[in-house]
Amino acid sequence: MYERHFLRCHEAVRRTRAGLNRFAVTWRILPFAVATVGRFGGVLLLTVIAATTVLSGILPTVNVYLHKLVIDAVAGTLDSAARSGTFRIAVLYIALQSAVMIFMRIASQAETLLNQLLAQRLSLRINTEIMERSFQVSYACFDDPHFYNTIKRASAESSRRLSDLLPLVTGGLQACITLAAMALLLARFSLWLPFLLLGVCLPLVVVQGTYGERQYHLEVSRTEDKRMAEYLRNLLLDRVSLPEILSYGIWGHLFHKWKALNVRFFQQDLRLRLRQTIAQTLAMGTMAMSTAIAMGYIVYRGTVHPESVSIGDILMYMTAFTSGLASSRSAFQSIGRMYENMLFLHDYRTFRDLTAATRSVGAGERVPEQIRSIELRHVSFKYPGSGQYVLRDVNLLFEPSEKVLIVGPNGAGKTTLVRLLLRLYEPTQGEILLNGRDLRNYDIESLRRNIGVVFQDFLHYVGTIRENIVYGDLQGIDDGEKIVRVAARANVDSFVSRLPQGYDTMLCKQFANGQELSQGQWQRIAMARFFMKNAPVCLYDEPTASLDIETEWRLLSELSGMASDRICILITHRLSGSGIADKIVLLRDGRVQESGTYESLMAEGGNFTTLADLYKACHSLR
């Protein structure tokens, strides 16, 4: 199952990268982007934006025509005998032009406001979807760097790029409407001027698309380097990591490593921007020359055939060409930038496709209230890309009637076993049965609700002590008595009473009145969180690794006294004497090497006896 997820993710990302070209991106992503905006944007908001876009596109042409009428009316006033009537007409045109200009400003401000509102709405909805889909995807896929890079780029760029895309679409549409209206106006004067408007802007759109594509591929190529730079930055600013960094004297080394990466990013961006600026300057130079030619032609026609055009006509056609050229440039730039944004949205589309294909949270049977057994039958497991098995043909049976202690050296596969039971991974071979049925038949959320775990690398949640404990069972968030009770079982109450805010003490020095705990105190809180869950299946992955002798003894006593109706599996390096577990399993090189009671294994004099004697010798040196 894990292999299938991994290969499916890797192949899908590779295939979409290989098939990436301008036509594929445009035809694949543009409809997706439009559909996404429609899905998240809201009908009313999009309708208002469309109306203001059309209005903003038409009004500039109306303004140019009214300007021509004003000029002609003023010229007529200077020559006409009936100046008072002509003057009133000029005043009327001026008033109309002023009204149009006011409407243009209102429409522009309204469009800006609506686009900002839509951008915030899209950002919230897209980031929400990315978070939800990340929860639903198979945990195994996060081991694939290609899949992980896709998620990182999708989360970093998608909301911004999609939010930027709509103003580009509306701006481009507005520019196209203005361009079309100006072109129709110019066609009355000369048929070749509209074609000149379009032709001189084509180099600009080519430059925009080309360098947008190069920017995207540059970002793809340095995704992992950017992740490394982000990691180094967080490491150097992290209070927890600083003591070790300073004690080893490696702050300068890590800092220069972070700086070298960012300097390289700066140099890459600078080279790309310089080349893009040179190309855009050449394209803009072509546009300037074309503008001069068009202006000269309009003035020439006006002077050679003054009887056919008025001074207002000449100014109108000159303004129409410059406005049309600006609209043409804006439209083509919008198209180029739309293509660049669609390239980045390609990662969002790929992410959605992959998360849909590797969905792990889904329908299944509910785990029964009474769990009678969990059995591993010929279970083997290896990570993709590795030929080495972490577990090999493991056969184990866990029942509520006995507490099982799993021991073994590092790399024996103990923690991997816990992750298989939680269905974070699926066995490469074999099967895991719960009450005689394959674990994959059960709903994952239902399964995990019935398994309590203390991980070896447990989390330090930023929050109060009460919150850290209640995360084991959020339904008990208002049950203060239960929180205090489980805290006492984990020996948390021994230090909570000395803290200023008690259970409401914030556990992070970076927040006001925050406190920091020792690793052993954090581990006690992790145990309290586990007791809070009160699950029928109990997994302990090195639960006493950071505890003092007294607290370790108390917790082991708690574990040995767990109710007989629970399945208890304890994974540890610390080989305590008899009485802790009913059965001991020794894992070595991914295989079950020895199994039995403490007394029987010691009597055999095998590898377990050797490990137990070594532990006793180390323990005596404390």
Side-chain angles (χ1 to χ4, degrees):
M1 185 71 172
Y2 178 84
E3 290 274 5
R4 290 199 298 272
H5 281 324
F6 183 91
L7 293 174
R8 186 185 301 158
C9 295
H10 183 82
E11 176 60 23
V13 174
R14 185 202 62 77
R15 186 173 57 251
T16 53
R17 289 277 174 269
L20 201 63
N21 59 68
R22 297 185 182 185
F23 294 106
V25 167
T26 302
W27 293 112
R28 174 180 166 83
I29 303 303
L30 184 58
F32 166 74
V34 172
T36 303
V37 171
R39 183 159 51 98
F40 291 155
V43 176
L44 179 60
L45 184 58
L46 292 175
T47 301
V48 175
I49 290 176
T52 56
T53 298
V54 173
L55 186 63
S56 298
I58 294 174
L59 287 179
T61 307
V62 175
N63 182 55
V64 169
Y65 186 74
L66 286 173
H67 187 65
K68 176 257 184 192
L69 295 178
V70 169
I71 295 299
D72 285 342
V74 171
T77 301
L78 296 176
D79 298 334
S80 174
R83 293 186 177 183
S84 60
T86 309
F87 179 75
R88 285 194 295 269
I89 295 175
V91 170
L92 175 62
Y93 289 152
I94 292 173
L96 288 175
Q97 186 180 22
S98 299
V100 168
M101 293 176 68
I102 292 173
F103 278 120
M104 287 173 63
R105 298 294 180 270
I106 293 174
S108 176
Q109 292 299 317
E111 187 177 3
T112 300
L113 174 62
L114 292 171
N115 282 328
Q116 289 175 347
L117 292 175
L118 183 60
Q120 292 178 348
R121 183 186 179 103
L122 288 174
S123 178
L124 175 61
R125 295 294 297 272
I126 290 173
N127 285 316
T128 299
E129 183 182 53
I130 289 174
M131 295 293 289
E132 290 174 344
R133 285 178 172 269
S134 297
F135 163 71
Q136 295 170 349
V137 75
S138 170
Y139 173 79
C141 290
F142 285 89
D143 288 335
D144 181 2
H146 301 283
F147 182 80
Y148 196 74
N149 288 341
T150 300
I151 289 181
K152 283 295 183 181
R153 284 194 298 271
S155 61
E157 295 285 348
S158 297
S159 60
R160 181 174 70 86
R161 295 290 177 170
L162 192 58
S163 299
D164 290 347
L165 189 61
L166 185 67
L168 290 174
V169 171
T170 55
L173 179 61
Q174 175 185 329
C176 288
I177 294 172
T178 302
L179 175 62
M182 295 295 182
L184 289 174
L185 197 60
L186 287 169
R188 296 174 51 196
F189 184 74
S190 174
L191 291 177
W192 68 273
L193 287 179
F195 292 101
L196 182 62
L197 275 179
L198 297 173
V200 296
C201 290
L202 286 176
L204 192 62
V205 73
V206 172
V207 170
Q208 192 75 31
T210 299
Y211 282 92
E213 191 174 279
R214 292 180 182 178
Q215 179 68 45
Y216 171 74
H217 288 299
L218 176 61
E219 292 298 329
V220 170
S221 67
R222 63 188 188 186
T223 299
E224 291 196 4
D225 286 339
K226 282 203 166 185
R227 281 169 46 199
M228 176 57 72
E230 181 182 3
Y231 162 75
L232 291 171
R233 177 183 178 276
N234 293 334
L235 191 67
L236 292 171
L237 296 177
D238 183 35
R239 176 181 175 274
V240 176
S241 61
L242 274 176
E244 179 171 327
I245 292 173
L246 295 176
S247 66
Y248 279 106
I250 58 175
W251 191 94
H253 170 77
L254 296 175
F255 170 75
H256 288 300
K257 187 176 179 181
W258 168 82
K259 184 177 179 181
L261 287 170
N262 282 276
V263 168
R264 177 150 56 88
F265 299 153
F266 171 77
Q267 292 172 345
Q268 290 171 339
D269 290 334
L270 180 61
R271 285 195 297 268
L272 186 64
R273 294 305 176 199
L274 284 175
R275 293 170 183 170
Q276 183 176 4
T277 300
I278 292 172
Q280 286 179 334
T281 302
L282 294 174
M284 297 294 287
T286 304
M287 294 177 64
M289 291 178 59
S290 301
T291 302
I293 293 172
M295 296 299 101
Y297 175 73
I298 293 171
V299 171
Y300 170 75
R301 281 277 304 270
T303 55
V304 172
H305 304 287
E307 71 283 353
S308 60
V309 291
S310 64
I311 185 66
D313 289 327
I314 293 175
L315 291 176
M316 178 184 70
Y317 293 132
M318 293 176 69
T319 305
F321 187 86
T322 55
S323 298
L325 192 62
S327 298
S328 178
R329 182 175 66 250
S330 176
F332 283 127
Q333 283 181 329
S334 295
I335 292 171
R337 292 182 60 197
M338 283 168 57
Y339 172 70
E340 179 182 349
N341 280 271
M342 283 189 291
L343 282 170
F344 285 92
L345 285 174
H346 186 271
D347 288 315
Y348 176 49
R349 173 65 181 267
T350 303
F351 165 74
R352 293 182 80 253
D353 291 345
L354 291 181
T355 51
T358 58
R359 186 181 175 91
S360 67
V361 179
E365 301 177 23
R366 292 180 59 85
V367 173
E369 293 184 4
Q370 183 179 5
I371 299 179
R372 300 185 303 274
S373 66
I374 295 178
E375 182 179 4
L376 281 74
R377 290 184 181 175
H378 305 290
V379 170
S380 297
F381 178 78
K382 64 178 179 179
Y383 291 96
S386 172
Q388 183 177 1
Y389 280 90
V390 181
L391 294 174
R392 297 171 178 269
D393 196 28
V394 174
N395 292 278
L396 289 172
L397 178 63
F398 304 106
E399 297 177 304
S401 59
E402 59 182 6
K403 299 176 181 65
V404 180
L405 177 66
I406 299 178
V407 299
N410 290 334
K414 303 186 299 299
T415 299
T416 299
L417 184 62
V418 172
R419 293 177 176 178
L420 289 175
L421 293 176
L422 287 168
R423 282 196 64 195
L424 295 174
Y425 299 97
E426 306 289 357
T428 305
Q429 298 170 5
E431 57 184 352
I432 302 176
L433 306 176
L434 188 151
N435 288 357
R437 291 183 57 77
D438 195 309
L439 213 61
R440 286 170 287 196
N441 292 329
Y442 295 104
D443 175 70
I444 287 183
E445 291 187 41
S446 175
L447 172 70
R448 293 172 183 167
R449 278 196 301 269
N450 284 274
I451 299 179
V453 190
V454 180
F455 286 102
Q456 181 176 359
D457 299 320
F458 54 87
L459 291 180
H460 299 185
Y461 294 99
V462 174
T464 65
I465 294 177
R466 186 184 307 276
E467 288 174 325
N468 268 271
I469 294 174
V470 85
Y471 286 158
D473 179 18
L474 289 173
Q475 294 182 352
I477 193 169
D478 297 320
D479 192 344
E481 292 184 3
K482 183 179 180 181
I483 294 173
V484 173
R485 188 167 61 252
V486 300
R489 289 179 63 187
N491 201 23
V492 171
D493 57 343
S494 63
F495 64 85
V496 168
S497 59
R498 300 194 300 269
L499 296 174
Q501 283 84 36
Y503 287 96
D504 294 317
T505 300
M506 175 66 71
L507 298 181
C508 185
K509 293 290 286 185
Q510 281 75 39
F511 289 85
N513 300 319
Q515 299 291 322
E516 189 53 88
L517 302 180
S518 68
Q519 183 69 3
Q521 290 171 329
W522 273 111
Q523 191 155 26
R524 294 185 216 174
I525 289 179
M527 287 299 301
R529 186 159 56 238
F530 163 80
F531 289 141
M532 189 76 184
K533 190 169 188 179
N534 197 30
V537 178
C538 305
L539 304 177
Y540 313 94
D541 188 2
E542 297 288 352
T544 63
S546 301
L547 300 181
D548 56 75
I549 298 298
E550 180 183 354
T551 306
E552 178 185 1
W553 179 82
R554 290 189 58 177
L555 283 178
L556 290 177
S557 299
E558 282 281 351
L559 301 183
S560 63
M562 293 290 286
S564 59
D565 61 344
R566 301 177 192 275
I567 292 177
C568 296
I569 305 171
L570 173 62
I571 295 173
T572 183
H573 293 91
R574 306 170 79 157
L575 305 181
S576 301
S578 61
I580 299 301
D582 302 300
K583 182 172 72 174
I584 298 175
V585 175
L586 174 62
L587 279 181
R588 183 181 289 272
D589 297 328
R591 299 180 185 274
V592 177
Q593 193 171 71
E594 298 176 20
S595 178
T597 64
Y598 180 84
E599 291 76 10
S600 65
L601 291 176
M602 291 298 291
E604 289 178 6
N607 287 315
F608 178 80
T609 304
T610 303
L611 290 175
D613 290 341
L614 287 172
Y615 177 74
K616 289 178 182 178
C618 292
H619 193 66
S620 65
L621 295 175
R622 292 186 173 187

